Amino acid sequence: MISAAHAGGLTGGRDNHRWEKTATMEPAARTDLRAIAAEMDQARQTFHHLLDQATDTGLRRRSNGTRWTNEQLLFHMMFGYLITRPVLVIASIFGRLPDGASKAFAQLLDATHGPFHLVNYLGSCAGARVIPYSHMRGRFDQVIAVLERRLESERGSTLRRGMHFPTTWDPFFTGYMTLADLYRYPTRHFYYHLEQLTLTNTD
């Protein structure tokens, strides 16, 4: 996620047989699932390319427009996918409850946006130490595989469930998001931060 401190200165496919189980869904929903999976897989390939071209000097260099180094920002880009897994679980639960439940929860989270942004920033600083550059490839592949497997099991009615979200936490959070929106969230987040990397800066 994008912290307030950050915003203030402080971007291949899978085998078709894996999607045969969605044949009972309406065509538009099947296409949507394939598109979401393709987006995640393209991000995975892009992440591999970033890691392949990274040097020790480039990883230590400050990114453009954030307080994170490039290595910390790479972790943060991956973290968007990692955090999506528990958020999907939370949204699935709230999606079965009365609308007011998630609205009250979102309002509570909005009220704590200050501490969240600090934790968000420090979390990626620490996270890059726990999962350094040398281990990011395998971890990224793993989380993409988990999200794609979960996506394969979804149905159109499930993807239309959703909940209210704290709009002050992240610019890609809207007031209400469905599960389909959440599956697309980490890739939007990924490509936003891609533009802030300075791995190949030669200045």
PDB file of all heavy atoms in Angstrom, residues 155-168:
ATOM      1  N   ARG A 155     -16.557 -17.897  -8.068  1.00  0.00           N
ATOM      2  CA  ARG A 155     -17.709 -17.898  -8.959  1.00  0.00           C
ATOM      3  C   ARG A 155     -18.187 -16.457  -9.124  1.00  0.00           C
ATOM      4  O   ARG A 155     -17.853 -15.586  -8.323  1.00  0.00           O
ATOM      5  CB  ARG A 155     -18.837 -18.775  -8.396  1.00  0.00           C
ATOM      6  CG  ARG A 155     -18.488 -20.260  -8.364  1.00  0.00           C
ATOM      7  CD  ARG A 155     -18.335 -20.794  -9.783  1.00  0.00           C
ATOM      8  NE  ARG A 155     -18.036 -22.212  -9.817  1.00  0.00           N
ATOM      9  CZ  ARG A 155     -16.811 -22.711  -9.861  1.00  0.00           C
ATOM     10  NH1 ARG A 155     -15.764 -21.895  -9.841  1.00  0.00           N
ATOM     11  NH2 ARG A 155     -16.616 -24.012  -9.907  1.00  0.00           N
ATOM     12  N   GLY A 156     -18.981 -16.232 -10.168  1.00  0.00           N
ATOM     13  CA  GLY A 156     -19.426 -14.872 -10.451  1.00  0.00           C
ATOM     14  C   GLY A 156     -20.123 -14.222  -9.277  1.00  0.00           C
ATOM     15  O   GLY A 156     -19.888 -13.048  -8.966  1.00  0.00           O
ATOM     16  N   SER A 157     -20.985 -14.972  -8.582  1.00  0.00           N
ATOM     17  CA  SER A 157     -21.720 -14.396  -7.458  1.00  0.00           C
ATOM     18  C   SER A 157     -20.787 -14.036  -6.314  1.00  0.00           C
ATOM     19  O   SER A 157     -20.994 -13.041  -5.620  1.00  0.00           O
ATOM     20  CB  SER A 157     -22.781 -15.390  -6.965  1.00  0.00           C
ATOM     21  OG  SER A 157     -22.175 -16.619  -6.581  1.00  0.00           O
ATOM     22  N   THR A 158     -19.744 -14.824  -6.123  1.00  0.00           N
ATOM     23  CA  THR A 158     -18.779 -14.546  -5.064  1.00  0.00           C
ATOM     24  C   THR A 158     -17.972 -13.298  -5.375  1.00  0.00           C
ATOM     25  O   THR A 158     -17.736 -12.450  -4.504  1.00  0.00           O
ATOM     26  CB  THR A 158     -17.826 -15.739  -4.890  1.00  0.00           C
ATOM     27  OG1 THR A 158     -18.588 -16.919  -4.621  1.00  0.00           O
ATOM     28  CG2 THR A 158     -16.858 -15.485  -3.744  1.00  0.00           C
ATOM     29  N   LEU A 159     -17.557 -13.168  -6.629  1.00  0.00           N
ATOM     30  CA  LEU A 159     -16.749 -12.024  -7.028  1.00  0.00           C
ATOM     31  C   LEU A 159     -17.500 -10.708  -6.919  1.00  0.00           C
ATOM     32  O   LEU A 159     -16.887  -9.649  -6.836  1.00  0.00           O
ATOM     33  CB  LEU A 159     -16.247 -12.205  -8.461  1.00  0.00           C
ATOM     34  CG  LEU A 159     -15.182 -13.283  -8.660  1.00  0.00           C
ATOM     35  CD1 LEU A 159     -14.961 -13.549 -10.137  1.00  0.00           C
ATOM     36  CD2 LEU A 159     -13.870 -12.881  -7.996  1.00  0.00           C
ATOM     37  N   ARG A 160     -18.820 -10.784  -6.929  1.00  0.00           N
ATOM     38  CA  ARG A 160     -19.615  -9.556  -6.817  1.00  0.00           C
ATOM     39  C   ARG A 160     -19.826  -9.127  -5.373  1.00  0.00           C
ATOM     40  O   ARG A 160     -20.314  -8.028  -5.120  1.00  0.00           O
ATOM     41  CB  ARG A 160     -20.973  -9.747  -7.510  1.00  0.00           C
ATOM     42  CG  ARG A 160     -20.859  -9.784  -9.035  1.00  0.00           C
ATOM     43  CD  ARG A 160     -22.227  -9.729  -9.688  1.00  0.00           C
ATOM     44  NE  ARG A 160     -22.988 -10.952  -9.484  1.00  0.00           N
ATOM     45  CZ  ARG A 160     -22.946 -12.007 -10.297  1.00  0.00           C
ATOM     46  NH1 ARG A 160     -22.159 -11.988 -11.355  1.00  0.00           N
ATOM     47  NH2 ARG A 160     -23.672 -13.085 -10.052  1.00  0.00           N
ATOM     48  N   ARG A 161     -19.461  -9.975  -4.420  1.00  0.00           N
ATOM     49  CA  ARG A 161     -19.532  -9.583  -3.019  1.00  0.00           C
ATOM     50  C   ARG A 161     -18.428  -8.584  -2.709  1.00  0.00           C
ATOM     51  O   ARG A 161     -17.402  -8.559  -3.374  1.00  0.00           O
ATOM     52  CB  ARG A 161     -19.374 -10.801  -2.109  1.00  0.00           C
ATOM     53  CG  ARG A 161     -20.553 -11.763  -2.144  1.00  0.00           C
ATOM     54  CD  ARG A 161     -20.274 -12.947  -1.265  1.00  0.00           C
ATOM     55  NE  ARG A 161     -21.349 -13.936  -1.327  1.00  0.00           N
ATOM     56  CZ  ARG A 161     -21.186 -15.230  -1.053  1.00  0.00           C
ATOM     57  NH1 ARG A 161     -19.994 -15.679  -0.699  1.00  0.00           N
ATOM     58  NH2 ARG A 161     -22.210 -16.049  -1.145  1.00  0.00           N
ATOM     59  N   GLY A 162     -18.651  -7.786  -1.680  1.00  0.00           N
ATOM     60  CA  GLY A 162     -17.627  -6.803  -1.354  1.00  0.00           C
ATOM     61  C   GLY A 162     -17.869  -6.155  -0.013  1.00  0.00           C
ATOM     62  O   GLY A 162     -18.703  -6.605   0.777  1.00  0.00           O
ATOM     63  N   MET A 163     -17.147  -5.067   0.240  1.00  0.00           N
ATOM     64  CA  MET A 163     -17.263  -4.364   1.505  1.00  0.00           C
ATOM     65  C   MET A 163     -16.775  -2.930   1.321  1.00  0.00           C
ATOM     66  O   MET A 163     -16.146  -2.581   0.323  1.00  0.00           O
ATOM     67  CB  MET A 163     -16.431  -5.046   2.589  1.00  0.00           C
ATOM     68  CG  MET A 163     -14.933  -5.061   2.307  1.00  0.00           C
ATOM     69  SD  MET A 163     -13.947  -5.792   3.659  1.00  0.00           S
ATOM     70  CE  MET A 163     -14.065  -4.494   4.909  1.00  0.00           C
ATOM     71  N   HIS A 164     -17.068  -2.097   2.289  1.00  0.00           N
ATOM     72  CA  HIS A 164     -16.588  -0.720   2.295  1.00  0.00           C
ATOM     73  C   HIS A 164     -15.121  -0.717   2.728  1.00  0.00           C
ATOM     74  O   HIS A 164     -14.698  -1.552   3.537  1.00  0.00           O
ATOM     75  CB  HIS A 164     -17.429   0.128   3.241  1.00  0.00           C
ATOM     76  CG  HIS A 164     -18.837   0.304   2.778  1.00  0.00           C
ATOM     77  ND1 HIS A 164     -19.225   1.311   1.921  1.00  0.00           N
ATOM     78  CD2 HIS A 164     -19.961  -0.431   3.045  1.00  0.00           C
ATOM     79  CE1 HIS A 164     -20.526   1.210   1.678  1.00  0.00           C
ATOM     80  NE2 HIS A 164     -20.994   0.169   2.348  1.00  0.00           N
ATOM     81  N   PHE A 165     -14.353   0.243   2.199  1.00  0.00           N
ATOM     82  CA  PHE A 165     -12.922   0.316   2.489  1.00  0.00           C
ATOM     83  C   PHE A 165     -12.537   1.712   2.965  1.00  0.00           C
ATOM     84  O   PHE A 165     -13.187   2.701   2.609  1.00  0.00           O
ATOM     85  CB  PHE A 165     -12.103  -0.043   1.243  1.00  0.00           C
ATOM     86  CG  PHE A 165     -11.837  -1.513   1.116  1.00  0.00           C
ATOM     87  CD1 PHE A 165     -12.814  -2.366   0.643  1.00  0.00           C
ATOM     88  CD2 PHE A 165     -10.617  -2.043   1.507  1.00  0.00           C
ATOM     89  CE1 PHE A 165     -12.586  -3.721   0.542  1.00  0.00           C
ATOM     90  CE2 PHE A 165     -10.365  -3.407   1.414  1.00  0.00           C
ATOM     91  CZ  PHE A 165     -11.345  -4.248   0.925  1.00  0.00           C
ATOM     92  N   PRO A 166     -11.449   1.794   3.749  1.00  0.00           N
ATOM     93  CA  PRO A 166     -10.951   3.100   4.206  1.00  0.00           C
ATOM     94  C   PRO A 166     -10.225   3.808   3.061  1.00  0.00           C
ATOM     95  O   PRO A 166      -9.134   3.397   2.661  1.00  0.00           O
ATOM     96  CB  PRO A 166      -9.998   2.737   5.341  1.00  0.00           C
ATOM     97  CG  PRO A 166      -9.496   1.368   4.969  1.00  0.00           C
ATOM     98  CD  PRO A 166     -10.661   0.683   4.304  1.00  0.00           C
ATOM     99  N   THR A 167     -10.779   4.852   2.544  1.00  0.00           N
ATOM    100  CA  THR A 167     -10.199   5.531   1.385  1.00  0.00           C
ATOM    101  C   THR A 167      -8.948   6.334   1.719  1.00  0.00           C
ATOM    102  O   THR A 167      -8.208   6.735   0.816  1.00  0.00           O
ATOM    103  CB  THR A 167     -11.234   6.463   0.736  1.00  0.00           C
ATOM    104  OG1 THR A 167     -11.715   7.392   1.718  1.00  0.00           O
ATOM    105  CG2 THR A 167     -12.404   5.667   0.187  1.00  0.00           C
ATOM    106  N   THR A 168      -8.691   6.575   3.010  1.00  0.00           N
ATOM    107  CA  THR A 168      -7.491   7.324   3.397  1.00  0.00           C
ATOM    108  C   THR A 168      -6.263   6.425   3.522  1.00  0.00           C
ATOM    109  O   THR A 168      -5.159   6.922   3.722  1.00  0.00           O
ATOM    110  CB  THR A 168      -7.706   8.041   4.745  1.00  0.00           C
ATOM    111  OG1 THR A 168      -8.026   7.053   5.751  1.00  0.00           O
ATOM    112  CG2 THR A 168      -8.828   9.062   4.641  1.00  0.00           C
TER     113      THR A 168
END
